[in-house]
């Protein structure tokens, strides 16, 4: 990671993404606290999550085409400026739930453009051997930022009100845009023909469907989202109803996931010479699936925390190897559409999982949610391993 961070272009991209993530953390905490204060209900808080997921479902297919047809740096800068303006609205006007939902919707729409562009542009600023290390650097910064800044964000909201947190988020987007403007890439500017947007989005779907490895990655992404959407959101229920843990144990369990997620990139780079092989992409699904089954079966808080640390390792290593394999396997001109489609599958599965998981937890019990989540992750691993054996060593998609 030190080697890739020594490269000026990647360091600029990494700085922009990290500073923007800092603002996102403050905004995420402030949004949750403020909407709960205004509505007094968990349903109100869930409404923010829905407002963030829906635009990703609507925008992602077109966003992928835009990312593949326009200069990606300009797309990222425009998305940052848009999000800065929206976050600025909440600095003054944050006492109306409808405004909060509308801004959350807009911020998510901007992210639907920014994220596939940032993931697609990374191979242009880092040589192929450094792609895994570059993704590890991005992930490590994100996890450490969340561990350190989330408690600070909660304190800031309590002491100074949510407006300051939203202001920091707006400022972070402007800093990100300013840093990215200095990123110079050799990439052709292409016009986006309006009549071709939907057809080119369909080409992205056909591309994934026609490539055995990409198809397995897409199925794994959807199955993992169907699992993680519910298990992540309902961890607080598991702690209270199954583990019979005290109220403050939920934070302890989240901390265990964070510790594992922070260790994952270091373990990946130190122990595995080529993490982009399908084995290391789909293997983390086995780890996470096994953890879900353990959580549904044990009642010991220390055992659950240790298992969740393993889950964190699986989450971080899985995300890094997944992105790195896509960046290496997919050619530049179609990379934006592939990443956007993977985002679409993730958010679709996450939304479905939240609804089904909540109903299942109420009707059958929280253990059933985790047993089902573990089974879905193990199924995702089985699909991936089968595709990996049939496809052989991962080559570059044409």
């Amino acid at each position: 990671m030190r080697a890739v961070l020594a490269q000026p272009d990647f360091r600029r991209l990494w700085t922009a993404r990290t500073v923007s993530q800092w603002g996102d953390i403050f905004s995420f905490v402030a949004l949750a606290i403020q909407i709960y204060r205004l509505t007094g209900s968990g349903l109100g808080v869930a409404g923010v999550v829905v407002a963030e997921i829906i635009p990703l479902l609507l925008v992602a297919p077109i966003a992928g085409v835009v990312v593949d047809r326009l200069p990606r740096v300009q797309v990222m800068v425009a998305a940052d400026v848009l999000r800065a303006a929206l976050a600025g609205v909440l600095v003054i006007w944050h006492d109306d739930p409808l405004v909060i939902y509308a801004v959350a919707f807009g911020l998510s729409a901007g992210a639907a453009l920014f994220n596939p562009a940032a993931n697609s542009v990374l191979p242009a600023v880092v040589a192929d051997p450094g792609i895994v290390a570059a993704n590890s650097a991005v992930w490590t910064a994100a996890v450490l930022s969340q561990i350190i800044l989330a408690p600070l964000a909660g304190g800031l909201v309590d002491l100074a009100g949510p407006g300051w947190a939203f202001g920091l988020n707006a400022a972070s987007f402007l800093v990100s845009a300013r840093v990215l403007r200095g990123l110079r890439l050799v990439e052709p500017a292409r016009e986006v023909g309006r009549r071709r947007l939907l057809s080119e989005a369909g080409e992205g779907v056909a591309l994934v469907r026609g490539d055995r490895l990409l198809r397995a990655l897409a199925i794994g992404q959807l199955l993992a989202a169907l699992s993680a959407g519910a298990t992540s959101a309902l961890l607080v229920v598991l702690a209270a109803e199954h583990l019979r843990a005290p109220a403050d144990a939920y934070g302890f369990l989240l901390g265990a996931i964070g510790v594992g997620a922070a260790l994952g990139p270091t373990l990946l780079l130190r122990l595995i010479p080529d993490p982009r092989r399908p084995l290391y992409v789909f293997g983390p699904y086995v780890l996470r699936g096994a953890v879900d089954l353990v959580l549904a079966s044990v009642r010991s808080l220390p055992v659950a925390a240790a298992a969740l640390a393993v889950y964190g390792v699986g989450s971080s290593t899985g995300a890094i190897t997944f992105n790195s394999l896509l960046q290496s396997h997919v050619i530049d001109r179609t990379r934006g559409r592939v990443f956007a489609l993977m985002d679409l599958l993730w958010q679709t599965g996450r939304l479905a999982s939240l609804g089904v998981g909540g109903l299942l937890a109420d009707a059958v019990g929280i253990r059933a949610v985790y047993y089902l989540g573990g089974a879905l992750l193990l199924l995702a691993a089985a699909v991936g391993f089968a595709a990996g054996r049939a496809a052989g060593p991962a080559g570059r998609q044409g």
Side-chain angles (χ1 to χ4, degrees), residues 35 280 294 394:
I35 200 67
Y280 302 118
V294 168

Side-chain angles (χ1 to χ4, degrees), residues 1-397:
M1 284 190 280
R2 284 195 298 269
V4 294
L5 285 169
Q7 301 176 29
D9 285 339
F10 174 71
R11 189 166 61 246
R12 187 174 286 275
L13 177 64
W14 178 87
T15 299
R17 295 192 70 173
T18 301
V19 171
S20 179
Q21 286 163 351
W22 292 349
D24 287 342
I25 293 167
F26 280 95
S27 179
F28 175 80
V29 173
L31 279 173
I33 292 174
Q34 183 65 5
I35 200 67
Y36 185 72
R37 285 176 177 172
L38 293 174
T39 65
S41 72
L43 185 61
V45 177
V48 175
V49 178
V50 173
E52 291 172 343
I53 291 177
I54 289 176
L56 290 167
L57 302 182
L58 297 175
V59 176
I62 303 304
V65 179
V66 172
V67 167
D68 283 338
R69 294 291 301 266
L70 292 178
R72 288 165 181 160
V73 173
Q74 293 184 19
V75 172
M76 289 188 288
V77 170
D80 272 341
V81 172
L82 169 65
R83 292 186 291 176
L86 290 169
V89 170
L90 291 180
V91 175
I92 300 172
W93 198 0
H94 51 254
D95 292 326
D96 186 338
L98 292 179
V99 174
I100 292 178
Y101 292 137
V103 170
F105 185 99
L107 291 174
S108 184
L113 285 166
F114 185 95
N115 292 337
N119 284 322
S120 299
V121 85
L122 188 143
V125 298
V126 176
D128 184 75
I131 285 179
V132 174
N135 282 304
S136 297
V138 171
W139 181 270
T140 300
V143 172
L144 293 178
S145 297
Q146 182 168 344
I147 292 172
I148 295 169
L149 295 181
L152 295 178
L156 177 64
V157 173
D158 281 340
L159 290 174
W164 288 95
F166 298 134
L168 287 173
N169 194 30
S172 75
F173 288 130
L174 293 177
V175 171
S176 174
R178 178 67 184 85
V179 172
L180 287 171
R181 285 186 63 190
L183 188 60
R184 299 286 180 253
L185 300 179
V186 179
E187 54 175 357
R190 305 181 183 93
E191 281 190 31
V192 179
R194 183 177 300 175
R195 65 183 180 84
R196 298 191 59 197
L197 284 176
L198 291 178
S199 64
E200 290 192 28
E203 289 171 8
V205 175
L207 180 72
V208 171
R209 189 171 57 238
D211 184 286
R212 190 180 184 95
L213 180 58
L214 292 180
R215 189 165 64 247
L217 289 168
I219 294 172
Q221 182 84 327
L222 180 59
L223 291 172
L226 288 170
S227 168
T231 56
S232 297
L234 298 177
L235 180 60
V236 64
V237 179
L238 183 85
E241 296 184 2
H242 178 57
L243 299 177
R244 304 296 182 186
D248 59 355
Y250 176 58
F252 176 65
L253 295 175
L254 289 179
I257 297 174
V259 169
L263 288 175
T266 299
L267 295 174
L268 188 70
L269 293 174
R270 286 184 179 272
L271 300 179
I272 301 175
D274 184 12
R276 286 176 290 181
R277 287 191 293 167
L279 171 65
Y280 302 118
V281 176
F282 296 104
Y285 290 144
V286 177
L287 281 181
R288 293 164 58 193
V291 168
D292 279 348
L293 298 180
V294 168
L295 292 173
S297 303
V298 304
R299 292 186 180 275
S300 167
L301 181 61
V303 172
L308 285 169
V310 175
Y311 189 95
V313 172
S315 294
S316 60
T317 55
I320 291 165
T321 54
F322 184 92
N323 284 342
S324 299
L325 181 57
L326 280 182
Q327 288 158 346
S328 301
H329 185 70
V330 180
I331 59 175
D332 180 79
R333 65 182 176 83
T334 58
R335 199 175 288 137
R337 277 168 284 179
V338 171
F339 270 105
L341 178 59
M342 296 299 176
D343 286 345
L344 177 64
L345 291 173
W346 177 262
Q347 298 301 337
T348 300
R350 183 176 166 223
L351 185 61
S353 181
L354 286 169
V356 174
L359 293 173
L360 188 62
D362 289 342
V364 183
I366 189 62
R367 296 175 65 195
V369 175
Y370 280 82
Y371 278 128
L372 178 59
L376 289 169
L377 287 167
L378 294 177
L379 178 59
V383 170
F385 290 148
R389 284 195 301 269
R396 197 167 179 82
Q397 172 269 336

